[in-house]
């Protein structure tokens, strides 16, 4: 039988058995690994030549936790779930922790989730400085299920343990030591020897033998504990009102504090099983794999091409985008040339980069020394002379076709032949930009989102002529600057802006037919978007909204809803937050309040569009509002997929989450749509299209999937096969 991972046991002359977890790439705890861990333990406890035990992970990684690839199988009933308490009680508490032979965990690299839970069941932990220890289960919609909710509070105190679990953030070696999570730090080459000695010292009574589950010294007194738990509840409700599992985690921790750790373990086991089957867990596991899947592009990343080294990058344009991109690059140690057209603009760009870095220093996230070192990687220039040895150029000038054409023709002259020529355009056809060059195979889109040094998404836009090598190179740069890159095809708006457009349009259509602006924003925010469509319009400014909108009107006239509401407000110098007036009015502290004056603009816009208030639309439920705004987005996402602009539905999920702020715990736009069903979405769009026009008309892809009862995310051939 093909086992998924294993443990080995190696007994030394000193009587210490080293049990090693082996399951590449992160030594995750598959069911096979867990069974093998139990067998290795049983053996070690049985054998007379074993006096003590060290648990470790192969190749410098302790363990990345429970095997997430098994989640889908367990949820779908294809893999039997381990019976409640099998790991947390039977293996870790009753076999490892209760054993009369001491165990020490030797931790290098990762000890996450179940990995850390195994380590916490040992009687001591030694780690390296670079080790990362944490319980990130909540980011997958579950809670720690191998005893972590009980042992972590007892090792580091309630307050810190709740912080670690609720934020899913790991701690590194030194912090783990100061918290009491580990007992000592060792260098990687001394790790095993130190752990072996420690285990023998416990046996000999020179070091204490501590069962984490029975510790109480770090737990706060009961009254204080109750306060901490209640504060955590208030925070969790405020930060994620749509999520239940953080509250379940707090309840389970509380059970252990009030009724003892054994009761806590059982409550944890039951809650874990329930959460594992929740929609939130399914969505978040999908997001976990979808995010890692964006760098797998058929016909590109499967050709065996290695990314070429990129050392020096030039940025054209030091505006908001250019300076943000430069910041992102120098933060990841790239040497950057920032080119502007005159001294004044250049200084402005350099200052913006400096300010971006200084804000990190102010927040305590960067030292002065690191600031100096990072900023020294940036050099301002006014001509192309120093472009002779650059490996990549990213053009970030204003959206003007002839200007960009000229720039790319110049770049071809000055840059070396291997240099990647990228554009940060969000709207202009890349084929047009490269038309006047002979370098179309190395022209590519690198579409960042503002602020570029903060936003996590990078749309990599390829044309028919872009070479796979250039895509592989940019994917590598994207990863190195800690972005999630998504490869898309060339079209107006690419993936993210194509999806954003119907979002705003649908909102305008509803308002002209009688839905209240603020009610729309409220419903959309409750659904989980960081803000509603109107608050967002105010934030980006009406100028940007009109400019991008006009590109869509030009390219997709048959499905644009042409409302005059924004232009009318603009005429009155209401252009959003910067003018302190838009759909909301803003006070000195930028606090937004509804504006009764809005009514007159809406009435005028309604008149110009020739529509009347529809009593049904004035009384829409929150669910209706969400559907009438997001189903057109789903419809557009289907078009993007059908046109081959996106490689796979999961890429659109990630684009929606990272580019639009779509709630990650709903799994992304297509995943969410599939939870509702293509038939339902199509029938609602058809119904609205009859009443409110072609804007809602389902596209062929959506109608086809609905007719076949197929999911929207299934690859084309799978959908056909389902017939
Ligand atoms: C009962 C328990 O309490 C429940 C649990 O333990 S739930 C699991 C808790 N653990 C986690 O949440 C950790 C999840 N993993 C991560 O955060 C990151 O993958 C990491 C920090 C471990 C490594 O990050 P990084 O080095 O950037 O590599 P990354 O690309 O993410 O992962 C490498 C590969 O390992 C896989 N992987 C990572 N963690 C995994 C896990 N726990 N199970 C299965 N596969 C895993 C990834 O899918 C990826 O596979 P791929 O190469 O086929 O795409």
């Amino acid at each position: 039988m093909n086992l998924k991972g294993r443990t080995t046991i190696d007994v030394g002359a000193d009587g210490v058995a080293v049990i090693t977890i082996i399951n590449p790439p992160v030594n995750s705890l598959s069911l096979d690994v867990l069974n093998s861990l139990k067998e290795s333990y049983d053996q070690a406890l049985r054998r007379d030549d074993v006096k003590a035990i060290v648990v470790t992970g192969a190749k410098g990684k302790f363990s990345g936790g429970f095997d997430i690839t098994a989640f889908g199988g367990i949820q779908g009933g294809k893999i039997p779930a381990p019976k409640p308490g099998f790991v947390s009680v039977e293996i870790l508490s009753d076999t490892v922790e209760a054993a009369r032979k001491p165990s020490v965990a030797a931790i290098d690299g990762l000890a996450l989730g179940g990995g850390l839970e195994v380590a916490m069941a040992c009687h001591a932990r030694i780690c390296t400085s670079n080790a990362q220890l944490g319980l990130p289960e909540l980011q997958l919609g579950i809670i720690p299920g191998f005893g972590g909710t009980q042992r972590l509070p007892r090792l580091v105190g309630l307050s810190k343990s709740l912080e670690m679990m609720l934020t899913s953030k790991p701690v590194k070696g030194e912090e783990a030591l100061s918290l009491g999570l580990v007992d000592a730090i060792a260098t990687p080459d001394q790790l095993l020897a130190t752990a072996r000695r420690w285990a023998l010292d416990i046996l000999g009574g020179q070091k204490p033998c501590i069962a984490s589950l029975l510790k109480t010294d770090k737990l706060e007194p009961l009254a204080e504990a109750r306060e901490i738990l209640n504060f955590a509840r208030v925070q969790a409700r405020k930060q994620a009102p749509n999520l239940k599992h953080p509250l379940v985690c707090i309840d389970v921790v509380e059970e252990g504090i009030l009724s003892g750790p054994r009761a806590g373990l059982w409550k944890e086991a039951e809650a874990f099983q329930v959460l594992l089957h929740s929609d939130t867990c399914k969505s978040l596991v999908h997001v976990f794999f979808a995010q890692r899947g964006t760098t797998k592009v058929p016909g590109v990343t499967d050709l065996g091409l290695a990314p070429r080294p990129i050392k020096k990058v030039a940025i054209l344009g030091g505006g908001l985008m250019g300076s943000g991109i430069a910041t992102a690059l120098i933060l990841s140690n790239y040497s950057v040339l920032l080119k502007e057209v005159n001294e004044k603009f250049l200084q402005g760009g350099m200052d913006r980069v400096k300010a971006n870095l200084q804000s990190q220093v102010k927040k305590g996230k960067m030292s002065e020394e690191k600031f100096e070192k990072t900023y020294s990687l940036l050099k301002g220039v006014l001509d192309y002379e120093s472009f002779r040895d650059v490996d990549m150029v990213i053009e970030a000038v204003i959206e003007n076709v002839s200007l960009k054409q000229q720039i790319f023709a110049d770049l071809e002259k000055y840059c070396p032949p291997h240099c990647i020529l990228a554009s940060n355009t969000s709207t202009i056809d890349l084929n047009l930009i490269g038309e006047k060059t002979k370098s179309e195979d190395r022209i590519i889109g690198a579409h960042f989102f503002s602020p570029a040094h903060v936003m996590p998404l990078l749309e990599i836009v390829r044309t028919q002529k872009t070479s796979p090598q250039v895509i592989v190179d940019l994917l590598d740069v994207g990863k190195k600057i800690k972005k999630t890159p998504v490869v898309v095809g060339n079209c107006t708006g690419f993936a993210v802006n194509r999806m954003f457009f119907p979002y705003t349009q649908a909102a305008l259509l509803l308002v002209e037919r009688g839905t209240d602006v603020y009610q729309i924003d409220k419903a959309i925010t409750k659904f989980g978007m960081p803000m509603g469509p109107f608050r967002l319009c105010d934030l980006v400014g009406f100028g940007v909204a009109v400019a991008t909108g006009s590109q869509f009107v030009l390219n997709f006239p048959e499905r644009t809803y042409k409302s005059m509401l924004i232009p009318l407000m603009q005429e009155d110098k209401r252009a959003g937050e910067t003018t302190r007036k838009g759909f909301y009015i803003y006070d000195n502290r930028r606090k937004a309040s509804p504006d009764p004056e809005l009514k007159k603009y809406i009435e005028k816009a309604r008149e110009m569009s020739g529509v009347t208030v529809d009593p049904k639309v004035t009384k829409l439920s929150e669910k209706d509002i969400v559907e009438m705004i997001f189903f057109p987005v789903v419809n557009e996402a289907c078009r993007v997929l059908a046109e081959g602009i996106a490689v796979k539905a999961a890429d659109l999920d990630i684009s929606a989450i990272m580019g639009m702020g779509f709630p990650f715990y709903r799994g992304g736009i297509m995943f969410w749509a599939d939870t509702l069903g293509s038939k339902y979405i199509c029938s609602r769009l058809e119904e609205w299209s009859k009443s409110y026009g072609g804007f809602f008309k389902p596209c062929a892809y959506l109608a086809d999937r609905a007719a076949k009862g197929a999911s929207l995310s299934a690859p084309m051939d799978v959908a056909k096969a389902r017939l």
Side-chain angles (χ1 to χ4, degrees), residues 64-100:
F66 194 44
D67 178 12
I68 305 172
T69 60
F71 280 35
I74 296 174
Q75 285 155 351
K78 289 189 195 119
I79 303 176
K83 71 174 194 303
F86 170 64
V87 182
S88 63
V89 180
E90 212 171 297
I91 305 185
L92 296 182
S93 300
D94 294 351
T95 307
V96 176
E97 198 172 50
R100 295 183 58 196

Side-chain angles (χ1 to χ4, degrees), residues 386-462:
S386 40
F387 278 42
R388 305 265 174 215
D389 62 346
V390 294
D391 304 304
M392 180 163 87
V393 179
I394 303 176
E395 165 275 310
V397 307
I398 51 162
E399 297 284 61
N400 176 316
V401 177
S402 52
L403 175 65
K404 287 188 196 259
Q405 284 180 333
Q406 182 58 51
I407 285 175
F408 276 76
D410 287 343
L411 287 175
E412 200 178 32
K413 273 187 247 152
Y414 288 94
C415 300
H418 75 273
C419 178
I420 298 165
L421 307 178
S423 170
N424 177 54
T425 182
S426 59
T427 41
I428 299 177
D429 185 341
L430 286 169
N431 288 321
L432 270 179
I433 293 178
E435 211 176 61
K436 298 196 170 152
T437 71
K438 289 191 191 69
S439 302
E440 284 168 296
D441 58 333
R442 54 187 173 125
I443 291 183
I444 192 162
H447 183 215
F448 289 82
F449 292 77
S450 186
H453 59 297
V454 178
M455 293 291 280
L457 188 67
L458 170 64
E459 270 183 324
I460 295 182
V461 190
R462 58 170 164 182

Side-chain angles (χ1 to χ4, degrees), residues 572-647:
D572 265 5
K573 308 239 172 323
R574 298 178 72 115
E577 212 178 294
T578 48
T579 57
R580 295 254 198 112
K581 272 184 177 183
F583 287 100
Y584 294 78
I585 37 178
Y586 297 85
D587 65 14
N588 288 343
R589 303 164 122 204
R590 302 202 148 186
K591 187 176 173 299
S593 315
D595 183 2
E597 288 236 327
L598 203 61
K599 227 171 116 196
K600 71 173 193 218
Y601 298 102
I602 296 171
E603 275 164 12
K604 185 102 184 271
R606 188 175 288 147
E607 220 173 87
M608 292 172 86
S609 301
V611 296
T612 48
V613 170
D614 179 334
K616 264 203 297 194
V617 178
T618 59
K619 292 192 290 260
L620 291 177
S621 65
E622 285 186 341
K623 174 173 170 284
D624 283 335
I625 293 176
V626 165
E627 293 186 352
M628 289 184 88
I629 288 186
F630 276 111
F631 287 1
V633 179
V634 172
N635 203 14
E636 193 63 26
C638 286
R639 287 192 186 96
V640 170
L641 198 56
E643 289 164 24
I645 299 298
V647 175

Side-chain angles (χ1 to χ4, degrees), residues 3-20:
L3 291 182
K4 209 169 166 225
R6 65 201 165 105
T7 64
T8 56
I9 177 165
D10 180 22
V11 182
D14 56 358
V16 176
V18 176
I19 297 176
T20 306

